[in-house]
Amino acid sequence: MKIIYQVAIQVFAFLIRFIAPFNHKIKLGVDGRKGLLDRMRESLPGLVAGRPVAWFHAASLGEFEQGRPVIESYRDAYPDHFILLTFFSPSGYEIRKNYNGVDFICYLPIDTPANAREFVRIVNPRIVFFIKYEFWFNYLRELRKNGSYILSFSSIFRSNQIFFKSYGGFFRKMLGYFDHLFVQNRTSIDLLEKANIGACSIAGDTRFDRVRAIASSARELPEIARFKGASQCMIAGSVWDADMQVLIPALNALTGKLKAIIAPHEIKAEEIAGWRTQLMGRSILYSEVAAGQSPDDFDYLIINNIGMLSSLYRYGNMAYIGGSFGVGLHNILEAATFGLPILFGNKSYHRFQEAVGLMEKGGAFSVADTPQLLKIVESWVENPVEARSAGDISSEFVLSGTGATDLIMQKVREAMG
């Protein structure tokens, strides 16, 4: 299996270089890794200047946001340490490459034996944090040889993962390289212990800490408040076309009774234009509002930029979160922390523990189609107290889930001495 893994990594490295000219996202990652080790070899020793190095690795943007509370708590606890942040995906690196909470940000070189050996030699991290789902054999092996203290946090394990299969011994070995794994639930602990991985404990999900921090520092957006006025308002966050095909007929049925702020997961002008033609009410783009057009007399505000969503939820009475009719449910906690009742599609949400948990408590609801969605939203519009009661459950759910960062930092202090 080790040989298969090493061959697969080499094939993967070849394929992404081959595909890069035809795929913009992949090209960003390939170009960002060109000459990276040479640049690090030249610049990093001078930047580190003998300080202890803490290395945080996130696959993409979502994992970075999950890890951010720990990064910032580490910075507060060890202000004299050097913090390195790496990303695997361009969707994380390109958006957060200017994040000022760390000292150096770069892509993670592909996990070949040579790359891992040289990267660890250059960085020489004293402590390493892998956020959620990152398990790279060559890096873990080299870090173990280097004597680095290795942590994983916000992980969640399921019985169908390869670690727990009869043929998964090689992958279980990766888990054994960690000094400690902080997981989200009891099921994960049971699976790890059954696999003879004893250095593990439940800390929960650091995203709860992150969204609480977001809520306390959310921006005031006067233009959004002006758009909403005295109306009830739905925030449709991270929506895809599959979500909008369920949402649009419901919004049309409620024209004049409910406003909506629509934040697409991906900004595609042609797709947005198509939605606007299907919506019966008047719609305006955020870029038009930012350019000075009044949003007062519009039913729908469509956000055609990135980075505002977490501050928009404070202006909602309810939220619909996208992704569950396709790739997978997006972040519901940002809406929940503002005390909104939450809706999402009934397809791809089951692997998200927070969605299942909030549904069980009555703060979130899955819908299969427009009639189900319309029935719930109409009830909330006609009876705002009902919506607020479900929203109170949402905010309490987030509050009760905070504290993971403190547990992780307690272990860090033990490890650092």
Side-chain angles (χ1 to χ4, degrees):
M1 187 62 76
K2 178 180 174 181
I3 294 172
I4 293 173
Y5 178 88
Q6 303 293 20
V7 170
I9 288 292
Q10 296 288 353
V11 170
F12 173 74
F14 169 78
L15 286 176
I16 62 172
R17 289 194 298 270
F18 178 78
I19 297 170
F22 312 101
N23 184 292
H24 176 66
K25 182 177 178 180
I26 292 176
K27 188 176 188 299
L28 286 172
V30 169
D31 290 347
R33 289 178 170 90
K34 285 179 181 176
L36 173 60
L37 288 173
D38 290 335
R39 296 195 300 273
M40 293 181 70
R41 197 179 295 112
E42 292 173 4
S43 63
L44 215 60
L47 294 171
V48 172
R51 291 179 286 167
V53 175
W55 170 26
F56 288 83
H57 176 66
S60 191
L61 182 62
E63 288 77 15
F64 164 76
E65 292 297 335
Q66 200 161 24
R68 190 167 173 171
V70 182
I71 295 172
E72 294 176 356
S73 292
Y74 189 96
R75 172 63 86 200
D76 289 342
Y78 302 98
D80 58 332
H81 288 201
F82 184 92
I83 301 179
L84 167 71
L85 171 64
T86 60
F87 289 96
F88 183 82
S89 169
S91 59
Y93 175 78
E94 295 299 329
I95 293 175
R96 293 302 182 205
K97 60 186 176 184
N98 296 316
Y99 171 60
N100 61 10
V102 300
D103 299 293
F104 194 90
I105 303 174
C106 64
Y107 282 101
L108 179 71
I110 301 301
D111 185 33
T112 65
N115 282 348
R117 186 165 51 249
E118 183 64 2
F119 185 91
V120 172
R121 186 194 69 78
I122 295 168
V123 174
N124 187 26
R126 181 171 174 183
I127 189 167
V128 182
F129 301 82
F130 288 91
I131 303 167
K132 197 172 184 180
Y133 287 140
E134 288 295 274
F135 306 101
W136 298 109
F137 174 75
N138 293 308
Y139 279 105
L140 289 169
R141 181 179 59 179
E142 293 301 323
L143 288 167
R144 174 58 65 202
K145 290 179 183 177
N146 190 64
S148 305
Y149 192 86
I150 313 170
L151 287 171
S152 171
F153 65 86
S154 291
S155 305
I156 188 165
F157 293 96
R158 301 175 182 84
S159 59
N160 62 353
Q161 290 173 311
I162 195 169
F163 305 110
F164 311 111
K165 301 295 185 182
S166 59
Y167 50 84
F170 170 77
F171 296 93
R172 284 193 293 276
K173 185 176 181 180
M174 290 192 207
L175 300 180
Y177 283 130
F178 286 91
D179 289 284
H180 201 87
L181 294 106
F182 287 102
V183 300
Q184 294 189 32
N185 58 20
R186 183 72 235 178
T187 299
S188 298
I189 292 289
D190 292 341
L191 288 167
L192 290 170
E193 290 180 345
K194 200 173 293 184
N196 296 316
I197 306 296
C200 55
S201 60
I202 300 173
D205 189 344
T206 50
R207 285 183 303 163
F208 286 86
D209 298 323
R210 175 63 185 147
V211 297
R212 290 296 294 176
I214 287 172
S216 64
S217 60
R219 289 180 290 161
E220 289 191 14
L221 301 168
E223 66 277 21
I224 303 297
R226 184 174 175 182
F227 164 77
K228 179 185 177 181
S231 302
Q232 293 192 64
C233 184
M234 171 190 283
I235 312 297
S238 295
V239 291
W240 298 73
D241 189 62
D243 299 296
M244 290 303 294
Q245 296 317 309
V246 173
L247 271 171
I248 287 171
L251 292 175
N252 285 340
L254 293 166
T255 301
K257 297 180 180 179
L258 178 72
K259 289 192 172 187
I261 298 172
I262 300 167
H265 185 70
E266 295 181 342
I267 309 301
K268 298 178 180 178
E270 187 175 335
E271 187 171 66
I272 291 171
W275 297 345
R276 296 181 76 181
T277 62
Q278 295 174 61
L279 288 164
M280 292 173 59
R282 298 184 67 209
S283 63
I284 187 171
L285 299 175
Y286 181 77
S287 58
E288 295 170 333
V289 176
Q293 188 171 347
S294 170
D296 291 0
D297 298 323
F298 289 87
D299 301 289
Y300 311 113
L301 172 60
I302 300 176
I303 308 300
N304 57 341
N305 63 13
I306 298 293
M308 290 182 63
L309 182 55
S310 60
S311 293
L312 293 175
Y313 289 119
R314 68 185 297 173
Y315 297 98
N317 301 96
M318 63 193 75
Y320 176 96
I321 309 300
S324 194
F325 284 121
V327 295
L329 181 63
H330 295 298
N331 190 344
I332 69 168
L333 295 178
E334 288 183 349
T337 195
F338 284 99
L340 303 188
I342 295 167
L343 295 157
F344 45 77
N346 70 338
K347 305 295 185 187
S348 304
Y349 74 86
H350 302 85
R351 61 190 172 91
F352 298 94
Q353 181 174 284
E354 68 277 12
V356 174
L358 191 52
M359 283 183 65
E360 289 173 351
K361 291 184 178 297
F365 306 83
S366 68
V367 294
D369 50 31
T370 296
Q372 281 192 4
L373 174 68
L374 182 58
K375 181 179 179 181
I376 295 172
V377 175
E378 271 188 321
S379 176
W380 287 346
V381 170
E382 293 171 4
N383 186 2
V385 174
E386 180 185 335
R388 284 196 295 272
S389 295
D392 289 342
I393 293 171
S394 292
S395 58
E396 177 58 32
F397 179 78
V398 173
L399 185 61
S400 66
T402 59
T405 300
D406 290 340
L407 292 173
I408 294 163
M409 287 304 300
Q410 182 178 331
K411 177 64 73 174
V412 168
R413 285 188 285 270
E414 293 172 6
M416 303 298 280

